[in-house]
Amino acid sequence: MSNDKLFVFDTTLRDGEQSPGASMTRDEKLRIAKSLENMKVDIIEAGFPIASEDDFQAVKLVAEQVQDSTICVLSRALDKDIARAGEAIKPANSGRIHTFIATSPIHMEKKLRMSPDDVLAQAVHAVQYAGKFTDNIEFSPEDAGRSDFDFLCRVLEAVIDAGAGTVNIPDTVGYNLPDQFGSLIGRLIETIPNSDKAIFSVHCHNDLGLAVANSLSAVQYGARQVECTINGLGERAGNAALEEVVMAIRTRRDKFECDVTLDATQIVGCSKLVSSITGFPVQRNKAIVGVNAFAHESGIHQDGILKNRETYEIMRAQDVGWSNNQMVLGKHSGRNAFRSHLEEIGVTFSSEEELNNAFYRFKDLADKKHEIYDEDLQALVNDSASTVQDSIRLVTLQTCTGTGEKPKATVTLSVESEEKTQVSDGAGSVDAVFKAIECIVDSGCELELYSVSNVTTGTDSQGEVTVRIRKGDHRVNGQGTDTDIIMASAKAYVNALNKILMPVAKKHPQKAV
Ligand code: KIV
Ligand code: ZN
């Protein structure tokens, strides 16, 4: 059996960000990119630079700071998109331009209003033009899963000739079935005369819940790059989940003629980071990264596991980064122990200031909570606590509640360095706190999501709060973590308000060219 490399291409920062409500700030994108780099993801699709100045700057930042993974950017098959993409990846150690145009009859006729010959010519031109900026070019025939086979072959042969080193076959609307999609890839590789000059990649959407199955089938038929996202985030029902694709390949090596070179022990940490930043919770029974993925409830199963783990487990929880619930650090741990333990679980700091800030919050937490677990540390670094640049800062917070009394909150904020205090009541303490904050800031935002989850077990656990607020079309998520969930809620709301002060307009990459 040959043992080819299977390239893992993560598009959490691009397709994942297209999930409604999952937008991320520049710094959040960088944190996720660093975590993906730590995991040894081969290619990170960092964004769609033409969409907005903010996306452009985010990609540039990622390209400057990430050394080990290739940084890819998306562009329509248009010169202005490609030139912007080329500019964004300039600082990258290794950069790639990914250009696309739709090839299905419905997209060409109804969306692009172009003839197949014009689409083919534009695809070839785009790849040639991208060659002015990099020799690492990927081309995608959008909606390939519903495209005419012969036309697809003509387009792919032509773009490979024009210099595309990777050709990606998207099932854009998640319409295909596993055997159909796998054999499509096999037939393309067999039919296209220059197919040996390019890596065949797949990009599957999950509209029928088949994204991972379709991707794996394609790998069995010869695909050597899979595009996927952490937690399966992405447009509509999402993309193929990275963690599921990777662990299926690792666990069933007997069924694949290739392997990944990824560090799977970083998966759980990265999943938590993405969930916390986007406000998309991971379903408890989600494969690999759900909290129940390795929990055995029934007596028969527990008995079996105790006798021989393999009776009911096909993977080891620690191989994907679940910790074994050991207390890892305490009140007396120093900065070096803190830094080196975080490195072990895949967290690095981009500056001493960032480390100091996190260490200060760790000490604060250790005063309240004696046993600190890996989960606590992950939550602590995921919590984008207020920074000096924030114009709104939480100064103090008191709440008062009791049987038969309306909950009341007194909040003091520093807004542009001026302290303001407000007292409000509400249906509950959180409601009262948010009303008091709104009375001070008067942001006019609408609260779209409020969710709380516990970081560890026990009543001294930290609560992790995510809020999503909207102003017009602009949505942001805010996070806050604290052993007191009212405080965590206030931090999350203030965090979201600080982000929404920087509105950005985005174009959608798959909108008509
Ligand atoms: O789903 C899709 O077709 C895409 C392409 C831009 C690759 O995301
Ligand atoms: Zn997609």
Side-chain angles (χ1 to χ4, degrees), residues 486-506:
I486 310 296
M487 187 63 91
S489 305
K491 285 181 184 173
Y493 198 75
V494 167
N495 180 238
L497 287 172
N498 278 307
K499 290 182 191 168
I500 214 155
L501 293 176
M502 297 169 284
V504 281
K506 284 198 174 203

Side-chain angles (χ1 to χ4, degrees), residues 339-355:
R339 185 210 300 257
S340 69
H341 188 77
L342 282 171
E343 271 168 16
E344 270 169 40
I345 60 170
V347 178
T348 51
F349 296 97
S350 49
S351 65
E352 280 298 296
E353 191 194 343
E354 206 182 285
L355 166 69

Side-chain angles (χ1 to χ4, degrees), residues 46-57:
F48 178 50
I50 197 79
S52 69
E53 177 60 23
D54 209 58
D55 240 20
F56 174 82
Q57 294 298 344

